[in-house]
Amino acid sequence: MTTWRKSSYSADSSDCVEVGRGVGIRDSKAPATHLPVSGEAWSAFLASVTRVTQL
């Protein structure tokens, strides 16, 4: 079973994107489905977001 995590910025909201390590991402309103994301793709996404937020 995968542990799904949501952003700390989501607080108690149920409207968020959750990340499952080694599995992918899913919408908290539709937890039965998820989008598979490779570790490499996730790392590239995080690096891109980090660069944008540092501008």
Side-chain angles (χ1 to χ4, degrees):
M1 181 170 199
T2 299
T3 300
W4 292 92
R5 297 174 163 249
K6 66 179 180 175
S7 169
S8 59
Y9 290 103
S10 297
D12 293 328
S13 175
S14 62
D15 299 332
C16 61
V17 172
E18 298 174 315
V19 177
R21 185 174 193 156
V23 178
I25 57 176
R26 72 180 185 182
D27 184 339
S28 62
K29 295 177 290 197
T33 60
H34 72 277
L35 176 65
V37 177
S38 71
E40 294 81 17
W42 185 248
S43 293
F45 169 75
L46 292 178
S48 177
V49 169
T50 301
R51 280 192 303 273
V52 170
T53 60
Q54 292 176 349
L55 295 178

